[in-house]
Amino acid sequence: MTQLPEPDAVARELAEFGRRLGMALPALNGAAGTQVGCSAKHAVFSRDKLTLYRFEPLARPSGLRPVLICYALVNRPYMMDLQEDRSLIRALLKAGLDVYLIDWGYPDGADRLLGLDDYINVYLDGCVQQILDAHDIDALNLLGVCQGGTFSLCYAALHPDKVKNLITMVAPVDFKTPENLLSKWVQGIDVDLMIQSGNVQGALLNLAFLSLMPFRLTQQKYVGLVGSAENTPEVENFMRMEKWIFDSPDQAAAAFGEFIRWFYQENRLIRGTLEIGGRKVDLASISQPVLNLYALRDHLVPPSASTALGGCIGSTDYSPVGIDTGHIGMYVSGTGLREVPGKIVDWLHSQAAHE
Amino acid sequence: MSESPDPTKAWRDALAQGQQAFLKFYTEQAPGQPMPQFAEWWAKFGAPKTSPGPDAAGLYLAACDHFFTLTRAFMEQLPNQQNAGMDAQSMAKKFAAGLEEWFQKSAAPGKTAWTQGLELPSLGVTRQQQDLWQRVLELTKRYQELQTQLSAQWSAVGREAAQKFGAELAAASKSGKGFGDLKSLYDRWIENAEQAYSTHAHQEKYAGLLAGLTNTLNEIKAKQRELIESWAQQFDLPTRTEINSVHSRLKAMQQQLHELREPKPRAKPETKAKAKPKRAARKPARKR
């Protein structure tokens, strides 16, 4: 006889499951209005749909240069400041850092022609310039997250004089490593045909991300919630994550097409053949100190995609740090929040000591 | 252990009891209403329209529904009077086969015949529109073929997942290790399913099918847009193509304006360039 659960135990478990399920539904309803984002901030600059925010300080200034966080175009940047006990930004503020964050906004049909040149050399550069002018400094600390990390690398290569220290988080550099499932899927996509229909819907990207681990992400996750039905804060945490995951801006057609073709299909960044705005993006010209944080269990940006950076940049001060968590866990998991802010702050202090 | 001579009855009772708990909750919310499917329930009595995550909650209910359905499929394969005395490995094999059948049933693609009339040539003054429609139909047929191939891949995933899961059950049985509860069994099923899926998803064939489906769907959209635009032109309505054209001109003008405001500095010979103070050397941000 197989060692399966005893019928009596199953009866109890199912009865309990049903009871909890009954509780979970109103609990979900109750959590429907759960808010995201927790730290006070104000807009200091805007251009088209972009807004640059500066966070209110939470501690005595550390004396370090301001940090500009460049988030990805995919999903919303409030993931960096989701709630009080799950906020990378809050941890940085508590360490006395002066934190700025780029919110790219929600592109619509009028933005379909925005390309990577616009995003990197106009929008990102505009934000950097704003901060440099406000602080009367020559260069700032740039922290790029995921696709924003790739943008930050491009920016640092194109405008090296404006970046003092560069931090990349779960940022893809080599887009064709064997573990990169997303990359395998997009190789045969006709990008020109795809963007003929305009901006690429965020929902479509979500579908692709969910398809990377469909059983876990579309079934197990929700069944697992039943176990937390009586714990209101956990249900609220779940809803915050759910809101973030499905709050996906559409992608400006031109930029999306360029990103897929140049980075995923042709792997130009690491091959040294990338040009943005008519200028070559040469990773070897990145000579400033670089801290590269990557997640050891990342299913979206495999560690191999990030660690490839080490062999490409010109900097002699390069620190790769693997964190034992997943892609999203870098910003919200216990491990991520225990390790990531401390590593960033310590590293920036050590760099400042050498200035 | 239950004293019942037919163990299946005890399992069925257990499932009924579990579902009863949900039914009780439902009937309190909607007295006199028949019990709908989970997804329907959510549509009727779910979160208010202002909820930020109705899709998520719908998914949640669908997943729970899936859990119950999977459990039911699981129950059907449990020991009963017909297979009493079967050894553990045969039981696991039977279970895996049942699960595989259930999976294939739930993943079976719908089929529609699209083959008729596609070979006829277009005629008359509406020839261009007929061509477009014909192309849309051809593409739709192609899309369905690819969808069927993808469903076959999913069936293979289900089969392999069920086999892996069955093997794991058998191995656990042999070693005397058990699964403490249904949730653990369910979690093992998910793990095996993900492993089976990952093997397929990383293969070139799977990637090719996904790309083929995406490209076909995008071409259908493009052709449909052409049809709609040809209709819009009849009524002098603006089309996306025209708006795109205006956007392109506007963008080019913005670029020209920028270049007039901030002309590009002439390149200087590198060897003779004097070092300037950093602040002055900084290049201003480009405005659009």
Side-chain angles (χ1 to χ4, degrees):
Chain A
M1 186 69 114
T2 48
Q3 300 293 304
L4 296 169
E6 298 291 342
D8 288 349
V10 170
R12 283 193 299 276
E13 191 184 345
L14 283 173
E16 179 62 9
F17 184 84
R19 187 183 72 80
R20 283 175 174 270
L21 183 60
M23 291 173 61
L25 291 166
L28 270 176
N29 262 343
T34 303
Q35 297 297 309
V36 291
C38 61
S39 305
K41 62 182 185 298
H42 61 277
V44 292
F45 173 72
S46 67
R47 180 174 289 173
D48 301 333
K49 293 188 175 67
L50 171 145
T51 308
L52 174 66
Y53 289 103
R54 184 182 191 184
F55 284 86
E56 303 294 340
L58 289 177
R60 217 176 58 187
S62 62
L64 296 173
R65 288 168 187 267
V67 176
L68 170 61
I69 300 178
C70 175
Y71 198 74
L73 301 176
V74 183
N75 286 114
R76 304 283 295 139
Y78 56 74
M79 171 52 93
M80 311 296 292
D81 185 41
L82 198 61
Q83 61 193 68
E84 282 205 12
D85 57 346
R86 292 183 182 199
S87 167
L88 173 66
I89 286 176
R90 210 165 175 79
L92 298 179
L93 292 171
K94 282 180 178 171
L97 264 62
D98 193 352
V99 181
Y100 290 81
L101 174 72
I102 297 175
D103 179 345
W104 301 108
Y106 293 85
D108 60 26
D111 302 309
R112 66 175 53 200
L113 296 179
L114 291 177
L116 293 182
D117 180 32
D118 298 296
Y119 277 107
I120 292 168
N121 289 323
V122 177
Y123 291 147
L124 176 53
D125 189 44
C127 291
V128 169
Q129 196 62 57
Q130 176 71 24
I131 297 168
L132 297 184
D133 290 344
H135 291 260
D136 195 26
I137 51 175
D138 290 319
L140 50 61
N141 294 322
L142 184 58
L143 194 171
V145 180
C146 189
Q147 182 192 34
T150 311
F151 285 6
S152 299
L153 285 166
C154 296
Y155 184 81
L158 292 167
H159 307 268
D161 53 325
K162 295 184 184 182
V163 180
K164 188 70 185 173
N165 299 296
L166 177 63
I167 302 163
T168 52
M169 257 178 87
V170 289
V173 180
D174 184 346
F175 287 76
K176 286 199 173 180
T177 55
E179 304 84 8
N180 197 331
L181 184 54
L182 214 48
S183 173
K184 287 178 181 171
W185 286 354
V186 301
Q187 295 307 316
I189 301 279
D190 184 338
V191 177
D192 289 333
L193 187 60
M194 189 169 201
I195 62 174
Q196 242 182 52
S197 302
N199 291 345
V200 176
Q201 289 182 5
L204 183 70
L205 297 184
N206 264 331
L207 195 63
F209 296 143
L210 292 178
S211 299
L212 293 172
M213 292 196 298
F215 295 92
R216 284 203 190 99
L217 300 178
T218 67
Q219 294 174 19
Q220 189 184 33
K221 184 178 82 170
Y222 298 102
V223 171
L225 177 64
V226 175
S228 311
E230 287 168 293
N231 188 334
T232 304
E234 274 193 39
V235 174
E236 287 175 354
N237 289 349
F238 179 91
M239 282 308 293
R240 279 191 198 94
M241 286 298 295
E242 205 65 358
K243 179 178 165 59
W244 176 79
I245 288 167
F246 294 103
D247 186 2
S248 309
D250 292 347
Q251 301 296 296
F256 181 85
E258 289 168 357
F259 195 71
I260 297 296
R261 190 183 307 110
W262 296 349
F263 290 82
Y264 274 98
Q265 293 182 337
E266 299 173 359
N267 213 7
R268 289 188 189 184
L269 180 63
I270 200 158
R271 289 174 55 218
T273 54
L274 179 65
E275 276 190 19
I276 290 177
R279 293 173 61 203
K280 188 178 176 188
V281 179
D282 184 7
L283 287 176
S285 67
I286 296 179
S287 57
Q288 52 271 80
V290 177
L291 172 64
N292 184 14
L293 297 161
Y294 58 94
L296 295 171
R297 288 181 280 126
D298 197 328
H299 73 289
L300 284 168
V301 180
S304 55
S306 295
T307 53
L309 180 62
C312 314
I313 52 174
S315 176
T316 52
D317 186 350
Y318 170 69
S319 309
V321 178
I323 308 289
D324 187 18
T325 186
H327 189 81
I328 296 168
M330 285 291 270
Y331 340 114
V332 294
S333 73
T335 307
L337 289 168
R338 260 194 315 277
E339 295 193 30
V340 173
K343 295 218 184 294
I344 292 173
V345 173
D346 291 348
W347 186 79
L348 287 175
H349 273 293
S350 72
Q351 295 304 329
H354 297 140
E355 279 186 29
Chain B
M1 187 74 179
S2 168
E3 293 293 318
S4 169
D6 179 2
T8 313
K9 185 176 179 305
W11 287 92
R12 287 183 181 147
D13 289 347
L15 178 63
Q17 197 178 337
Q19 287 185 313
Q20 192 65 28
F22 179 76
L23 182 63
K24 182 172 177 294
F25 168 78
Y26 172 77
T27 47
E28 282 170 4
Q29 300 286 314
Q33 297 280 332
M35 177 70 180
Q37 294 295 308
F38 281 79
E40 290 171 14
W41 187 91
W42 182 258
K44 280 185 182 175
F45 304 103
K49 297 295 177 209
T50 51
S51 159
D55 288 342
L59 279 169
Y60 160 66
L61 285 166
C64 292
D65 190 27
H66 185 268
F67 177 74
F68 268 124
T69 313
L70 193 64
T71 307
R72 206 176 298 123
F74 175 70
M75 299 291 174
E76 284 165 6
Q77 306 306 321
L78 284 170
N80 56 34
Q81 284 165 334
Q82 288 174 348
N83 57 20
M86 212 181 247
D87 65 84
Q89 287 198 339
S90 308
M91 189 80 75
K93 203 173 169 184
K94 183 176 186 298
F95 172 68
L99 201 57
E100 181 192 333
E101 189 187 337
W102 170 81
F103 195 93
Q104 282 181 334
K105 270 184 202 165
S106 60
K111 285 181 183 171
T112 313
W114 286 96
T115 49
Q116 289 180 343
L118 289 182
E119 298 80 17
L120 293 175
S122 305
L123 302 166
V125 289
T126 59
R127 191 182 169 281
Q128 194 187 346
Q129 281 75 13
Q130 287 176 50
D131 273 347
L132 277 171
W133 271 115
Q134 215 160 35
R135 182 69 185 136
V136 169
L137 289 175
E138 281 169 7
L139 288 166
T140 308
K141 178 176 173 258
R142 171 84 185 129
Y143 182 80
Q144 290 214 330
E145 286 166 358
L146 290 167
Q147 184 67 55
T148 304
Q149 289 178 45
L150 192 66
S151 295
Q153 287 270 311
W154 270 92
S155 291
V157 169
R159 185 171 60 243
E160 286 164 29
Q163 284 166 356
K164 282 166 82 77
F165 186 43
E168 191 175 325
L169 282 181
S173 169
K174 214 172 180 180
S175 67
K177 283 183 191 168
F179 292 91
D181 49 41
L182 267 185
K183 180 67 169 49
S184 306
L185 269 178
Y186 173 75
D187 289 343
R188 290 313 306 159
W189 157 251
I190 294 286
E191 181 59 32
N192 281 296
E194 284 293 2
Q195 283 177 15
Y197 172 74
S198 178
T199 307
H200 281 262
H202 275 274
Q203 286 170 5
E204 223 169 272
K205 186 179 177 186
Y206 191 88
L209 279 173
L210 277 188
L213 270 169
T214 309
N215 293 341
T216 309
L217 197 59
N218 285 329
E219 201 178 342
I220 291 173
K221 278 173 78 177
K223 293 295 168 200
Q224 283 175 332
R225 196 179 79 178
E226 274 185 57
L227 276 165
I228 292 167
E229 290 205 345
S230 71
W231 176 84
Q233 279 166 346
Q234 306 298 317
F235 295 91
D236 194 27
L237 293 171
T239 64
R240 186 75 243 180
T241 306
E242 290 163 359
I243 294 171
N244 284 350
S245 171
V246 173
H247 273 159
S248 296
R249 285 182 210 167
L250 190 63
K251 195 161 191 284
M253 284 164 66
Q254 280 179 324
Q255 182 66 30
Q256 285 170 358
L257 191 62
H258 163 74
E259 282 165 11
L260 285 171
R261 278 182 180 156
E262 289 163 18
K264 282 182 183 171
R266 281 184 195 171
K268 291 175 184 174
E270 281 180 20
T271 48
K272 290 184 180 176
K274 279 187 180 177
K276 285 185 179 178
K278 272 187 175 180
R279 195 79 175 85
R282 200 196 311 146
K283 189 184 159 197
R286 205 171 96 196
K287 291 192 176 68
R288 287 202 307 114

